[in-house]
Amino acid sequence: MSFETLWADESAIGRSPDTGGYTRGGWSPTEREATHWFLDQCAARGLSVESDGIGNLIAWWGASDGPGVVTGSHLDSVIDGGAFDGPLGVVSALAAVDQLRAEGFEPGVPLGIGAFVEEEGSRFGMPCLGSRVAAGVLSAEKALQLTDRGGVRLSEALEGAGIDPAGVGPSPLLERMGTFVELHVEQGRGLTAPVGVASSIWPHGRFRFTFGGEANHAGTTLMEDRHDPMLTYAMTALAANKQARLAGARATFGRISVEPNGTNAVPSQVTAWLDARAADTATLESLLAAITKQATERAERDGTTLEVTPESVSPIVDFPAGLRDRLVSVLDGAPVLPTGAGHDAGVFSDAGIPTAMLFVRNPTGISHSPAEYAEMDDCLAGVDALAAVLKDLAK
């Protein structure tokens, strides 16, 4: 089946008629529909599918045992996200296997296509949730207690999807991953060629800022008598923007919760989530310290309180130079570039699995948005590149 046909089928699942975006939180109906589509495609190709306790999937072609070469990505999305972030890697993997089969290639080691769950963390707040649990980075106990915005626990979501929470834990799937290669749309404007190779993933983290204040009447409380956490938060958001610019880093408050959330009431509490990223760990730590310092000073002036809680922190990932250079050679000198976006590939690399990434050009640099886009010719170049890499690694 051609990439174009596969892409048209997969990208029709869960697309919003209003925004053109996708909301596929882990184990939600739209994410499950995409997962069932993947399983149907694997069955049509006679691939044997293995699943672990949290629902990560690998479909195998070739030899039945021993470590193999795995490619793939994820099918979930951010809230109202684009079509390419994640699914491009899964669809391209299917198309690359089809291409290799059509050429008569027989892998000398098992070749797997992976679909890993809740990579974005858009439902349960933990990025790369499926791969973190699989690698033992996140314990089953902590994972199962995570809740979504509606108060549903992960354990309940799994049960609703027909998955027994008792099976959640480190995954035997990783024992068969001799090498992992993830193809992904590039999420900035750093790649000018159709296809590139990743050098590293920036260190990054999500931090919960809780600003406490005093609820009061919006009409009768004098401005000078207020203890308004919204003011402290607002200054903190501006400080984050300034400090990130000064450091050449990234800082984003993209989610906020206000209590009691009334139009005519001074808030009692504001909770905001900071996404911070930098090219190195020292810069990331310095950035967080600078933002926290300014927020604390402002809280003292506003008569409010501040608590900063790290929810997830990922160190820098430098992909193995030997494997990276091998991909560059196979692809006739493809450009090499770092990324500020997190990926399952980073988790697997930290777990000791030789890992590499391929990027497909993003002409606008827009991602995590319905406007995310890649040209079809570049997507096809990505399939060709992935097929060439898999052929070299699995021969």
Side-chain angles (χ1 to χ4, degrees):
M1 188 180 295
S2 70
F3 172 85
E4 293 95 330
T5 300
L6 286 168
W7 184 250
D9 286 349
E10 192 284 332
S11 60
I13 299 171
R15 184 174 185 270
S16 168
D18 298 322
T19 68
Y22 299 80
T23 301
R24 294 180 183 167
W27 306 278
S28 66
T30 49
E31 187 266 0
R32 289 293 91 185
E33 185 179 353
T35 298
H36 291 313
W37 174 87
F38 173 70
L39 291 171
D40 288 343
Q41 293 297 326
C42 294
R45 289 162 175 76
L47 306 179
S48 60
V49 180
E50 293 182 349
S51 176
D52 64 14
I54 201 168
N56 294 311
L57 301 170
I58 297 183
W60 294 101
W61 171 39
S64 60
D65 54 14
V69 178
V70 178
T71 186
S73 193
H74 60 95
L75 293 166
D76 65 294
S77 77
V78 298
I79 298 171
D80 201 31
F84 294 82
D85 181 357
L88 180 63
V90 177
V91 175
S92 295
L94 290 166
V97 166
D98 288 348
Q99 182 173 314
L100 291 174
R101 280 180 152 178
E103 294 174 2
F105 175 73
E106 292 291 339
V109 299
L111 202 160
I113 302 174
F116 304 100
V117 291
E118 187 69 350
E119 190 268 358
E120 297 291 0
S122 62
R123 181 173 181 186
F124 288 97
M126 179 63 68
C128 300
L129 175 56
S131 56
R132 285 177 189 264
V133 170
V137 177
L138 178 65
S139 72
E141 181 181 10
K142 290 183 178 179
L144 293 172
Q145 293 300 314
L146 294 171
T147 58
D148 67 12
R149 299 175 194 221
V152 177
R153 287 187 177 180
L154 174 59
S155 57
E156 297 170 326
L158 292 174
E159 289 174 344
I163 300 172
D164 184 358
V168 172
S171 175
L173 293 179
L174 270 64
E175 298 173 5
R176 297 195 63 192
M177 292 173 63
T179 306
F180 181 64
V181 179
E182 181 172 5
L183 180 144
H184 206 280
V185 67
E186 210 259 318
Q187 293 173 277
R189 293 181 293 176
L191 181 61
T192 57
V195 178
V197 178
S199 59
S200 62
I201 298 176
W202 281 15
H204 55 279
R206 297 183 182 187
F207 306 90
R208 184 175 70 249
F209 281 60
T210 304
F211 304 90
E214 180 181 80
N216 216 326
H217 197 292
T220 61
T221 309
L222 298 177
M223 302 304 287
E224 59 267 27
D225 290 342
R226 300 182 179 205
H227 304 284
D228 187 350
M230 184 63 79
L231 295 179
T232 316
Y233 159 69
M235 192 289 306
T236 303
L238 293 174
N241 174 70
K242 180 178 179 179
Q243 294 300 329
R245 288 172 182 267
L246 291 173
R250 314 282 188 269
T252 308
F253 280 104
R255 177 185 170 195
I256 183 172
S257 174
V258 182
E259 297 176 19
N261 204 26
T263 304
N264 58 349
V266 176
S268 59
Q269 181 173 291
V270 173
T271 306
W273 284 263
L274 172 70
D275 180 302
R277 308 173 190 237
D280 57 78
T281 300
T283 302
L284 179 63
E285 292 175 347
S286 177
L287 173 64
L288 179 64
I291 296 170
T292 302
K293 180 176 182 292
Q294 287 191 249
T296 300
E297 292 172 349
R298 179 68 194 212
E300 292 174 353
R301 294 202 300 273
D302 292 337
T304 57
T305 61
L306 170 65
E307 180 180 0
V308 180
T309 306
E311 290 196 339
S312 68
V313 181
S314 300
I316 190 170
V317 174
D318 288 311
F319 293 115
L323 180 58
R324 177 200 67 207
D325 292 346
R326 183 173 177 177
L327 267 62
V328 171
S329 177
V330 169
L331 301 178
D332 297 323
V336 177
L337 69 161
T339 177
H343 302 281
D344 289 320
V347 176
F348 294 139
S349 182
D350 282 344
I353 297 169
T355 301
M357 289 193 72
L358 296 176
F359 289 129
V360 171
R361 177 168 52 191
N362 181 334
T364 65
I366 296 174
S367 187
H368 283 189
S369 158
E372 182 180 80
Y373 180 69
E375 296 284 355
M376 183 57 67
D377 284 349
D378 288 352
C379 293
L380 295 175
V383 173
D384 289 343
L386 182 60
V389 165
L390 296 177
K391 187 174 184 178
D392 180 74
L393 295 174
K395 62 187 178 184

